[in-house]
Amino acid sequence: MDLVELKNIIENARIKKKISQRELARLSGINRSSLNDIINGKIKKIDVDSLKKIAETLDLPLTILLRVAGYDEFLDYLSKDKYK
């Protein structure tokens, strides 16, 4: 997992949408301290549901957040022909 890249992706998208971290937490339904821990790399394995909420709120592709968060094997598995 690349915590710096994940932070940069989330923060850049948040700034582009012109919302605060507090607003991102409210809109995504993620506890503000949990969101802060995700952004600051204090959570080493972020759950997929939280990544999905962040992606939806910031209009980001979930696959990008999953890849950066270390879910490569999961994404590779889903990309097999039988899941397309």
Side-chain angles (χ1 to χ4, degrees), residues 15-61:
I15 292 166
K16 185 177 179 182
K17 284 193 71 107
K18 299 178 182 173
I19 60 174
S20 65
Q21 280 188 9
R22 177 176 288 182
E23 186 72 0
L24 175 57
R26 187 184 69 75
L27 292 170
S28 65
I30 298 173
N31 177 288
R32 199 170 102 215
S33 64
S34 296
L35 178 65
N36 190 48
D37 288 346
I38 290 169
I39 291 171
N40 291 312
K42 293 181 181 178
I43 298 176
K44 299 303 178 201
K45 193 66 174 176
I46 305 162
D47 66 278
V48 175
D49 189 50
S50 293
L51 292 172
K52 182 177 181 282
K53 290 176 181 179
I54 292 168
E56 289 173 349
T57 303
L58 295 176
D59 299 320
L60 292 170

Side-chain angles (χ1 to χ4, degrees), residues 55-67:
E56 289 173 349
T57 303
L58 295 176
D59 299 320
L60 292 170
L62 177 58
T63 54
I64 290 173
L65 294 184
L66 289 171
R67 180 104 29 222

